[in-house]
Amino acid sequence: MSLKSVRSFIETLEKEHPDAKTELVYQNPFELLVSVVLSAQATDKSVNLATKKLFAVASAPQAMLALGEENIAQYIRTIGLWRAKSRNIALLSQQLLERHNGEVPRTRKELEALAGVGRKTANVVLNVAFGEATMAVDTHIFRISNRTGLAPGKTVLEVEKSLVKRIPPDLLPPAHNRLILHGRYICKARKPECQLCSVAQWCLYKDKNPGPIPTLPKVNRDLSVH
């Protein structure tokens, strides 16, 4: 996809999703960090159900550390990998207190040094909490980037770097959530709804899904003259 098409592609998604934001529910950077750590191999909906009760009793590192790993686990048992995640949340809370005075750091290097935090999680926090021009590549964004020709790449890191390079800087920060929404609801993995896609004209996907064949209205075949 040409750079001119990239801008048109992203600008059109901006018009379609002007208020796009993460579907994770949070009130501060710490809650966002915890939610993103929990979201690995889990849906945003399942995370929100668990954190609604968890954050009611622990919305800051001090309270989360005081709650402890075993008690954290009781709140997140419905989420995949809950044992490892409860351990990581307790440890990263301790690390935030010891290294950053309880504040969520604003650099990728410092974020990635926290328990359970990888590059994608760090990018989400930097983008969503602090408005940084980062791109967290999840399965939706990876698929869209390769399928449409927006920013092809064989690895997540290749796609991330390509997106950051190809998307105009003024459109980059909010593009993350808009691409996720597009992948979640339109450019789906198995059956992309190309017939409903607002950016199909710039998409280079060869096997576009035309959608269901419309049903023709019944014709009155009684042509006899009375």
Side-chain angles (χ1 to χ4, degrees):
M1 188 184 300
S2 69
L3 293 180
K4 182 179 179 181
S5 294
V6 169
R7 173 173 280 279
S8 298
F9 187 102
I10 299 299
E11 285 180 339
T12 300
L13 289 183
E14 181 178 33
K15 294 175 182 177
E16 187 172 4
H17 303 289
D19 301 315
K21 59 182 180 180
T22 179
E23 294 184 335
L24 293 171
V25 178
Y26 69 98
Q27 299 298 323
N28 57 54
F30 174 70
E31 289 187 359
L32 174 65
L33 174 61
V34 170
S35 294
V36 180
V37 169
L38 291 176
S39 69
Q41 299 185 40
T43 64
D44 288 356
K45 183 178 180 179
S46 68
V47 171
N48 291 336
L49 288 173
T51 56
K52 182 177 181 179
K53 295 181 178 179
L54 176 62
F55 292 156
V57 297
S59 61
Q62 299 92 329
M64 193 69 75
L65 184 60
L67 191 61
E69 179 182 335
E70 292 303 317
N71 288 322
I72 293 171
Q74 299 308 308
Y75 287 94
I76 66 170
R77 290 175 67 93
T78 55
I79 299 175
L81 307 175
W82 59 273
R83 290 187 182 277
K85 290 175 180 179
S86 59
R87 183 166 55 250
N88 285 333
I89 291 170
L91 182 53
L92 74 81
S93 297
Q94 180 180 350
Q95 292 170 333
L96 288 174
L97 291 167
E98 293 176 348
R99 303 174 186 175
H100 307 288
N101 297 316
E103 299 294 326
V104 175
R106 301 184 63 151
T107 70
R108 183 185 286 110
K109 182 178 180 180
E110 290 174 316
L111 283 167
E112 288 186 16
L114 299 173
V117 179
R119 185 180 181 91
K120 185 176 75 172
T121 296
N123 280 337
V124 172
V125 173
L126 290 172
N127 182 284
V128 177
F130 304 123
E132 298 290 336
T134 59
M135 180 60 67
V137 179
D138 68 350
T139 56
H140 296 302
I141 294 179
F142 186 82
R143 178 176 67 254
I144 289 174
S145 297
N146 280 287
R147 176 184 279 170
T148 67
L150 179 66
K154 295 182 179 179
T155 67
V156 168
L157 185 57
E158 283 183 12
V159 170
E160 176 194 326
K161 291 183 176 180
S162 182
L163 286 168
V164 171
K165 182 179 180 180
R166 290 171 59 77
I167 295 177
D170 58 308
L171 299 175
L172 181 59
H176 168 252
N177 284 319
R178 288 172 179 136
L179 287 169
I180 289 177
L181 291 177
H182 189 66
R184 185 172 293 168
Y185 299 111
I186 299 296
C187 198
K188 302 173 184 177
R190 294 185 179 181
K191 292 184 178 180
E193 299 194 33
C194 302
Q195 73 279 12
L196 302 177
C197 181
S198 62
V199 292
Q201 61 181 302
W202 300 288
C203 173
L204 302 180
Y205 184 43
K206 295 180 180 179
D207 302 317
K208 286 188 173 72
N209 176 17
I213 299 174
T215 302
L216 295 176
K218 292 183 178 180
V219 178
N220 184 359
R221 297 185 181 281
D222 184 4
L223 301 179
S224 61
V225 178
H226 299 284

